[in-house]
Amino acid sequence: MKKITSVVFVLGVLSLLLSSCSGSGVSVGGQNAEIATITVSGSGQVFVASDLGFIDIGVRSQGATVIEAIAINNEQAKAIQTALIEEGVEEKDIQTSYFNVYQQSDYDFQGNPVNTYYLVENTVHVTVRQLEKLGEILDAAARGGANNIYGVNFDVQDRSEAQSAARELAVQAAQAQAQELVQVAGFELGDLISISSLPISTTPYYGYGIGGGGGMAESVPIASGQVPINAQVEMIFAIK
């Protein structure tokens, strides 16, 4: 089981709503009546040690013709893929995410083209499941010919346990806030009328990018840290 660190956030300004019910409204004791309600929101956050990494590794090649530029790039890309597999990355975890071929020209001081060539950019999205080897994998990619490494970022393979813990904290935060508000206002908290889970972004935790290439003197030191898992709920209670 992953170690989970918990943090609770409570949304600041909450509102007391007096709902006037008629016709199709809420019925109390068989008759239409006014029901005082309070709407609250609560947020919960837990931190989980990351166990998944993502890297975008690219190679940019140049040639006098399109065919030459692509051939050079293919050779470099194959060398990078081989280096990654030798470091334990599975082939299914290496996916092409970007491929581009374009013409480039150099100009003299009068603006006339003096040299025209072609550039090929090929980027693969790599999933790293052994984070303890991430530094070695980055080093292997650079030694294999990668000259662009973008956005090392981290995530958790199984969010379910942490997500449940975050939801529980969010509900507790909303309940506590509702209880506090009605007491200050001189009322009592009634039954729960509705509860809903609000959408939360699950964007991976981003690290950094590396440019250049040619290999590093030693494996790149990587600190994967913890990934925040968030939840937010909205609850409506009756007021007595």
Side-chain angles (χ1 to χ4, degrees), residues 13-229:
V13 180
L14 306 173
S15 59
L16 286 172
L17 304 177
L18 186 62
S19 304
S20 177
C21 302
S22 60
S24 60
V26 179
S27 177
V28 179
Q31 297 180 350
N32 290 335
E34 290 184 345
I35 299 177
T37 64
I38 180 173
T39 300
V40 293
S41 297
S43 296
Q45 182 180 72
V46 300
F47 288 88
V48 183
S50 57
D51 59 7
L52 200 62
F54 303 100
I55 327 166
D56 289 307
I57 298 174
V59 58
R60 186 171 183 263
S61 308
Q62 177 180 322
T65 65
V66 173
I67 299 299
E68 179 183 344
I70 291 177
I72 294 172
N73 191 275
N74 286 346
E75 184 177 348
Q76 291 175 305
K78 288 177 181 177
I80 293 170
Q81 182 170 350
T82 298
L84 293 174
I85 292 174
E86 288 177 352
E87 288 296 332
V89 178
E90 296 185 41
E91 191 169 351
K92 68 181 179 64
D93 288 330
I94 304 173
Q95 180 182 36
T96 298
S97 58
Y98 179 80
F99 186 84
N100 190 31
V101 181
Y102 58 97
Q103 179 180 295
Q104 187 76 33
S105 297
D106 297 329
Y107 298 86
D108 61 20
F109 66 95
Q110 293 181 326
N112 300 313
V114 294
N115 183 35
T116 298
Y117 49 92
Y118 295 87
L119 295 172
V120 177
E121 295 178 345
N122 187 357
T123 302
V124 292
H125 184 71
V126 180
T127 300
V128 179
R129 303 182 189 278
Q130 298 174 284
L131 287 187
E132 68 277 6
K133 298 191 65 177
L134 184 53
E136 297 173 14
I137 289 170
L138 288 169
D139 186 54
R143 294 185 186 279
N147 45 33
N148 285 299
I149 299 177
Y150 309 94
V152 180
N153 48 75
F154 304 96
D155 206 346
V156 180
Q157 295 189 55
D158 184 3
R159 289 172 165 259
S160 56
E161 182 181 354
Q163 195 70 67
S164 294
R167 291 193 191 101
E168 182 177 350
L169 291 174
V171 169
Q172 291 173 357
Q175 289 174 325
Q177 185 78 335
Q179 187 66 52
E180 178 185 347
L181 286 173
V182 296
Q183 286 181 349
V184 171
F187 295 92
E188 294 183 11
L189 193 64
D191 294 334
L192 175 66
I193 296 175
S194 72
I195 180 172
S196 57
S197 178
L198 304 180
I200 294 290
S201 172
T202 57
T203 305
Y205 173 74
Y206 286 88
Y208 53 86
I210 302 172
M216 294 89 171
E218 55 183 298
S219 295
V220 179
I222 298 295
S224 56
Q226 294 183 315
V227 176
I229 309 294

